[in-house]
Amino acid sequence: MAYALITGASKGIGQSMANLLAMKHYDLLLVARSGEELETVANTLRTKYNVQVSWLAQDLSLPNAAETVYKWCTDNHYTVSVLINNAGYGIWGTFESLTLEKQSNMLQLNMQTPVALCHYLLPMLKAQPQSYILNVSSTAAYQAVPTLSLYAASKAFVLVFTRGLRQELKGSNVSVSCLCPGPVNTNFVDRAGMQAIKATAEKFGMQPDVAANIALKGMFNKKAEIIPGALNVISAFSTRLFPKDMVEKIAGSLYKS
């Protein structure tokens, strides 16, 4: 029995992907901070789709979080064939005004934990007939974003790392893809402290179910980069056509209060 492991699975895109994979009869391993929310999601999916669902409440911004997840898998003899590194968040504000501790925790979650999970689980993934890694980045990865400087930088790291790993594993049974969504109506805005522009963000945001459906189709089709929404595709690739300073000014203006 092989499982799909999803981080950040208690809400948003992660929960939507869990639901869609359960519909495809995948057994699931769900990881997020809130055990109460995970238990509710797990019970719903078990009842609705008759699949095996196990969950682990774990703060993935802690340095040893990935090792804890890996040990949980090996101790319980869970075999992983799909790894979705979805957990992540941003913090809104100037680099100087935000505490180093908060920013370091974000970088740990957005970069170090996905890298560690890929490293720990890759031998297991390579042992399957076919397996998949989906790392979740953002359209913020395509340019610097003032007031989200480290968030954008962390997502650029995820994109470049994923593309490099994909090339390293080309010809193997492990397909590696990167999801780069634009605004999605999740709790991202609230956690990032962006309440001042919440109404605007929600107006242009995609629904999680839509983004998740596009993500999984792209993953199973072994696409390198998956950008949900035509406008987001145009926006991402237009950053290559214009001067960086211009693109950065436009990006920064979108996140002013």
Side-chain angles (χ1 to χ4, degrees), residues 21-247:
L21 286 170
M23 287 176 64
K24 295 178 181 290
H25 308 293
Y26 270 86
D27 295 317
L28 301 171
L29 303 174
L30 309 180
V31 183
R33 288 188 304 167
S34 172
E36 185 176 346
E37 291 176 350
L38 284 173
E39 185 172 24
T40 299
V41 173
N43 289 339
T44 299
L45 295 178
R46 286 191 202 103
T47 301
K48 193 172 182 180
Y49 299 111
N50 192 30
V51 293
Q52 299 293 317
V53 185
S54 297
W55 56 269
L56 175 68
Q58 173 64 48
D59 183 351
L60 294 169
S61 69
L62 298 176
N64 296 323
E67 184 179 4
T68 300
V69 174
Y70 175 67
K71 190 173 186 302
W72 172 61
C73 291
T74 55
D75 286 351
N76 291 282
H77 306 289
Y78 297 140
T79 300
V80 177
S81 64
V82 177
L83 170 61
I84 300 178
N85 282 307
N86 166 71
Y89 69 96
I91 309 174
W92 188 38
T94 63
F95 172 74
E96 183 181 18
S97 67
L98 298 168
T99 69
L100 183 59
E101 181 182 10
K102 286 183 178 180
Q103 294 185 88
S104 296
N105 286 345
M106 179 189 68
L107 295 177
Q108 175 70 43
L109 176 60
N110 291 2
M111 298 191 301
Q112 297 289 356
T113 296
V115 166
L117 282 173
C118 286
H119 198 274
Y120 280 127
L121 293 172
L122 192 51
M124 191 183 297
L125 292 165
K126 293 182 78 172
Q128 308 309 308
Q130 177 64 60
S131 57
Y132 303 87
I133 296 173
L134 179 65
N135 292 328
V136 179
S137 178
S138 166
T139 52
Y142 294 100
Q143 70 286 301
V145 182
T147 69
L148 286 170
S149 295
L150 277 181
Y151 172 75
S154 72
K155 291 305 183 179
F157 171 90
V158 171
L159 176 58
V160 174
F161 164 66
T162 303
R163 291 193 66 96
L165 184 62
R166 176 184 176 87
Q167 289 299 321
E168 291 180 14
L169 295 173
K170 208 163 190 178
S172 77
N173 60 318
V174 184
S175 175
V176 185
S177 301
C178 192
L179 173 65
C180 299
V184 179
N185 291 332
T186 64
N187 69 328
F188 177 89
V189 169
D190 291 329
R191 186 167 186 187
M194 300 166 66
Q195 286 80 5
I197 60 170
K198 185 174 182 178
T200 302
E202 290 181 347
K203 180 179 179 181
F204 294 100
M206 181 178 286
Q207 293 305 312
D209 287 349
V210 176
N213 188 48
I214 294 169
L216 292 180
K217 283 183 178 179
M219 181 187 76
F220 286 124
N221 285 328
K222 302 181 179 181
K223 291 184 66 176
E225 292 179 37
I226 306 157
I227 306 175
L231 287 177
N232 290 324
V233 173
I234 294 169
S235 174
F237 287 96
S238 67
T239 61
R240 303 175 181 179
L241 305 177
F242 300 100
K244 288 184 178 181
D245 188 59
M246 179 190 298
V247 172

